[in-house]
Amino acid sequence: MDITSIHKAYASGQVTPEAVVNEIYDRIDAEGLQPVWIALVPREKALEQARKLQSAVQADLPLYGIPFAVKDNIDVAGIPTTAACPEYSYTPEQNATVVTRLEAAGALLIGKTNMDQFATGLVGTRTPYGICSSVFDKRYISGGSSSGSAVSVASGLVSFSLGTDTAGSGRVPAMFNNLIGLKPTRGVLSTHGVVPACRTLDCVSIFAETSSDASVVLSAARGLDGQDPYSRVPAIGAGAAPWIAAPSFRFGVPVAGTLEFYGDSHNPALYQAAVEKLVALGGQPVEFDLAPFLATAQLLYKGPWVAERYAAIESFVEQHVEAMDPTVAKIIRGAANYSAVDTFKAAYKLEELRRQTARVWNSIDVMVLPTAPRTYTIEEIGEAPIERNSHLGQYTNFVNLLDLSAVALPAGFRPDGLPFGVSLIGQAFQETALLVLADRLHRGLGATLGGSDRKLAETPALVAATPPPGCLLMAVVGAHLTGQPLNWQLTERKGSLIRTCRTSPDYKFYALKGTVPPKPGLVRVPGFEGPGIEVEVWALPEDTVGSFVDGVPQPLSIGTLRLEDGSLVKGFLVEPAATEDAIEITQLGGWRKYRESLK
């Protein structure tokens, strides 16, 4: 059910959106509504939407005829929102913003999926609508709280689904069902029309079979929403990821021996295999102290943020607590144990931890962790529902508190046939770059899609954009080259070397007089046929370019260079007047050869 395959089938005339919708509803009729679904869009209404697409141009709609599902804490006009609590149910008049945007892109909504009640849990068992299980073994949990959303994709009923993620609910079910689970930066996807869990932390998440599919959905759904006070877009340079297009990158791994798998004997080896694959992809592992991240994670359920869950449904809890799942009620009613003073103290502690953890990003570009330490059976969760739920959030709970982005991805199968998964975690607004790296790693570790036997290798790879997100490409020719005296001006701005190449032939090159340190000058001469001049192309975060340009001394300037492949980048040029008393070194083809010739 990946997007590309469906679109190819539509374009060839093999199937129509109407036929796809009918096939999905036939399967649901045969398999039963629950436990995956809480409510469906009426079949005839879904077919009507499919027929309307017949008059649209497929190429104009990135999600043309693509079936999807949403978690039942996300509003769909005319269909009750229950948040997995029937007594809480209300029928909204409007769609959540994300639903409206996806339908405008051509997606076809099938229905609303099961979940842990009020999005409180990572297990998928806290619901009166039946317990979802992993598509690989019915004895094991599906993960939650977005349980039905994950299973609907993994079982091939829809191509993608929306969940929500406050503590890991968009990532843990992805691991247990062999899926991509994208948790964007807070505010990238609007939460208008979403029943809040912790409103200051909530994210709408995306489940898909591939990173490419998740990227298409993200592009269609994102954008500032004036109806959501927490909606935001990145400032210039925010989320810059110059490392994603570089030949090498740095990835963080916890100090040896500090990962906890709660007695699981298979997952440590699979995690190590993921680390080794990242090395093969050009990654350089850097050990870091996980302790302050875990301390942050503890604040989410063992601190006053649980009171935010209470604030979301306060009147309902006070009047209908008997209608709630006992475990959910126990957690949310725990808000009474915290005072306003406790809240401020926890906020102070979070800022201390934020400062500690921020230092880690000076030495790494991305972090790789197990998505969850282990998988539990439904029976095991029943034996210790709160304790084992907390185990599942070991490596996910801190992400939203620290305003980070994350992608969970499949990382192979255990000997017992259950899937394992790892998460790539980056700084705010880096979800696009994370998806690209996740795709590379997924293709190195995985073979099949979701719960099917369809091949990942037969789907399109996700390629890094040029320039990388939030970056500008800058070509350097002299003192800023790697190993030269001004290279630090690039590295201190977190620039990444993308490639070494040459300019087009119509450039002359000069060694300028009186410059300290020695510098060259590059001048374009139309019609000149030279060897081309060696350059390094660097990706610089957009918000650092101004200070870099401001430091360029006369007679040098930053202009537009044409490279040997015809592409255009910004780079160093010189005023023609400065070449009058300079030494022409065009024939040497580059600054390094010139410097070597002086020895």
Side-chain angles (χ1 to χ4, degrees), residues 382-447:
E383 294 168 352
I386 294 179
E387 178 187 7
R388 287 173 176 162
N389 183 92
S390 69
H391 293 173
L392 298 180
Q394 179 98 352
Y395 306 120
T396 58
N397 284 355
F398 65 83
V399 175
N400 282 348
L401 283 166
L402 295 176
D403 198 18
L404 303 174
S405 53
V407 177
L409 65 132
F413 284 83
R414 299 151 44 96
D416 59 10
L418 294 174
F420 177 65
V422 296
S423 287
L424 300 177
I425 301 169
Q427 297 183 78
F429 300 110
Q430 289 190 336
E431 47 275 329
T432 300
L434 292 180
L435 282 170
V436 172
L437 183 56
D439 188 64
R440 296 173 187 165
L441 183 56
H442 188 189
R443 291 174 188 280
L445 298 172

Side-chain angles (χ1 to χ4, degrees), residues 476-478 481 500-505 507-510 520-522 528 530-536 564 583-597:
V476 298
V477 294
L481 294 167
T500 299
C501 58
R502 307 188 81 78
T503 67
S504 59
Y507 284 90
K508 289 188 176 183
F509 200 41
Y510 299 87
L522 191 66
F528 176 71
I533 307 304
E534 181 187 54
V535 299
E536 287 182 352
E564 58 188 339
I583 302 171
E584 184 175 351
I585 56 174
T586 306
Q587 70 280 5
L588 294 175
W591 186 243
R592 287 193 180 92
K593 284 195 175 181
Y594 168 71
R595 298 299 294 171
E596 289 171 4
S597 73

